[in-house]
């Protein structure tokens, strides 16, 4: 009888452990565009996407948005309104667009500041550094390879944190938000520019048709890469809407959370403070 009970107990334990492993695997599953993948696999796939598109990234941004991304980023820096002595971390800063605008904004105000670009992808950083050197900004930007979910910086290292068109690509958005909060000094500003959700049904239909019918084909012609740009348009649809993302920012500890739609919600700027 004792042996039977022991066997049953061991069997039950194995079933429980097996069930826990299945649940854990399910909980660690996420999306890569419309595809369901493990969290580990998503990280690898996103890395491969940006490794492939790094050299054509800026050109494709111009073509896909008709140059609108420049206007969105200009507004983004205007909303940040960095002051003298601002120490900025630009996470997922890739090829340096936000860092360049930050430095030029300060220069126009006769102010100085410090900017660090952190990106997980070596190729994107390489392109960014090359662009900085050609623009005469070499040596004025610190380039750091690092994961937005595990930033390689001490607590309270920066007075401002920006992330533009990057947070939807991280595997665990909540972890990235917590890291943003951790590295900001008290009173620090969080600002995120990201594709969002269009409410107008007519505009949404036109936007969806352009996104799915034109952008991947454009990626194939210009960059020789359909799949990466198919992921791009799918990842935008998977990203939380404006209100949901604002709630996520609040849950990470931020205060005075707000957002501003640009181009009817095609993109949104989310703002918050560490108070």
């Amino acid at each position: 009888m004792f042996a039977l009970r022991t066997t049953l107990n061991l069997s039950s334990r194995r079933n429980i452990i097996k069930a826990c492993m299945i649940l854990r695997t399910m909980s660690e599953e996420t999306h890569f565009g419309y595809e369901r993948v493990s969290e580990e696999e998503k990280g690898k796939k996103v890395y491969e996407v940006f490794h492939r598109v790094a050299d054509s990234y800026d050109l494709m941004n111009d073509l896909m948005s008709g140059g609108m991304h420049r206007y969105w980023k200009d507004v983004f820096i205007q909303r940040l309104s960095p002051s003298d002595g601002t120490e900025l971390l630009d996470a997922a800063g890739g090829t340096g667009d936000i860092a360049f605008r930050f430095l030029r904004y300060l220069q126009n105000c006769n102010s100085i500041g410090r900017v660090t670009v952190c990106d997980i992808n070596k190729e994107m950083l390489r392109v960014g550094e090359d662009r900085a050197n050609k623009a005469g900004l070499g040596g004025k930007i610190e380039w750091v390879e690092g994961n937005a979910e595990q930033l390689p910086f001490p607590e309270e290292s920066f007075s401002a944190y920006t992330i533009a068109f990057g947070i939807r690509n991280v595997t665990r958005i909540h972890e990235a938000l917590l890291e943003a909060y951790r590295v900001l000094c008290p009173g620090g500003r969080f600002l995120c520019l990201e594709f969002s959700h269009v409410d107008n049904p007519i505009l949404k239909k036109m936007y969806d048709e352009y996104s799915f019918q034109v952008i991947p084909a454009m990626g194939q012609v210009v960059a020789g890469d359909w799949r990466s740009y198919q992921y791009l348009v799918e990842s935008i649809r998977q990203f939380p809407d404006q209100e949901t993302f604002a709630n996520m920012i609040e849950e990470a500890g931020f205060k005075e959370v707000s957002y501003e739609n640009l181009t009817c919600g095609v993109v949104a700027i989310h703002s918050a403070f560490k108070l």
Side-chain angles (χ1 to χ4, degrees):
M1 180 67 75
F2 176 77
L4 179 59
R5 272 196 203 134
T6 302
T7 303
L8 288 171
N9 286 339
L10 287 172
S11 177
S12 298
R13 279 182 214 152
R14 289 195 192 100
N15 289 335
I16 291 169
I17 291 169
K18 186 177 180 181
C20 288
M21 291 177 66
I22 292 170
L23 286 171
R24 183 179 177 185
T25 301
M26 290 172 63
S27 67
E28 292 179 349
E29 195 177 70
T30 186
H31 58 81
F32 175 76
Y34 290 157
E35 182 184 356
R36 297 299 299 178
V37 297
S38 69
E39 290 184 342
E40 181 181 1
E41 189 178 3
K42 177 175 180 175
K44 291 178 181 177
K45 282 178 172 287
V46 170
Y47 188 94
E48 289 167 0
V49 163
F50 287 95
H51 181 85
R52 289 195 302 267
V53 305
D55 287 315
S56 59
Y57 182 79
D58 295 301
L59 173 61
M60 281 297 296
N61 279 346
D62 277 332
L63 295 174
M64 290 186 300
S65 69
M68 284 298 292
H69 77 102
R70 297 174 182 266
Y71 163 72
W72 296 330
K73 291 167 183 172
D74 287 343
V75 174
F76 186 60
I77 288 297
Q78 289 169 15
R79 297 297 182 266
L80 179 63
S81 299
S83 56
D84 192 48
T86 297
E87 297 185 334
L88 172 67
L89 172 62
D90 184 35
T95 57
D97 269 1
I98 300 304
F100 301 159
R101 283 169 168 79
F102 169 80
L103 291 174
R104 288 169 183 148
Y105 184 99
L106 289 177
Q107 185 178 25
N108 291 337
C109 297
N110 295 314
S111 300
I112 59 172
R114 175 174 69 93
V115 57
T116 300
V117 172
C118 182
D119 199 290
I120 199 170
N121 195 287
K122 291 180 182 178
E123 283 300 297
M124 295 289 281
L125 290 171
R126 176 188 60 78
V127 172
E129 287 191 76
D130 288 346
R131 291 183 69 209
N133 291 331
K134 290 174 183 176
L137 297 173
K140 295 184 179 181
I141 302 170
E142 182 182 9
W143 304 87
V144 177
E145 183 182 349
N147 187 339
E149 298 172 42
Q150 294 178 313
L151 292 170
F153 308 106
E155 293 182 6
E156 301 182 1
S157 298
F158 302 94
S159 56
Y161 172 108
T162 54
I163 183 164
F165 302 118
I167 202 161
R168 77 178 187 284
N169 295 308
V170 306
T171 303
R172 306 171 190 87
I173 294 174
H174 182 64
E175 293 297 322
L177 292 172
L178 289 174
E179 279 292 271
Y181 188 89
R182 181 183 67 81
V183 300
L184 276 172
C185 297
R189 180 84 179 276
F190 168 89
L191 212 63
C192 174
L193 175 66
E194 188 54 86
F195 288 108
S196 201
H197 290 247
V198 178
D199 287 332
N200 184 293
I202 297 174
L203 180 60
K204 184 178 184 303
K205 186 174 187 299
M206 294 170 58
Y207 177 50
D208 285 346
E209 287 182 359
Y210 172 76
S211 296
F212 286 97
Q213 301 301 322
V214 177
I215 289 178
M218 190 183 297
Q220 181 63 41
V221 171
V222 176
D225 191 341
W226 180 291
R227 287 185 301 145
S228 293
Y229 291 95
Q230 182 70 30
Y231 160 73
L232 167 70
V233 297
E234 291 178 0
S235 69
I236 293 170
R237 274 68 188 177
Q238 294 285 55
F239 191 71
D241 64 26
Q242 291 89 326
E243 288 291 341
T244 303
F245 186 50
N247 289 335
M248 293 174 71
I249 296 170
E250 285 185 341
E251 288 171 2
F254 288 100
K255 306 297 182 185
E256 295 187 17
V257 179
S258 62
Y259 66 85
E260 173 187 0
N261 285 330
L262 300 179
T263 317
C264 301
V266 172
V267 300
I269 296 173
H270 281 77
S271 171
F273 293 85
K274 179 177 179 177
L275 301 175

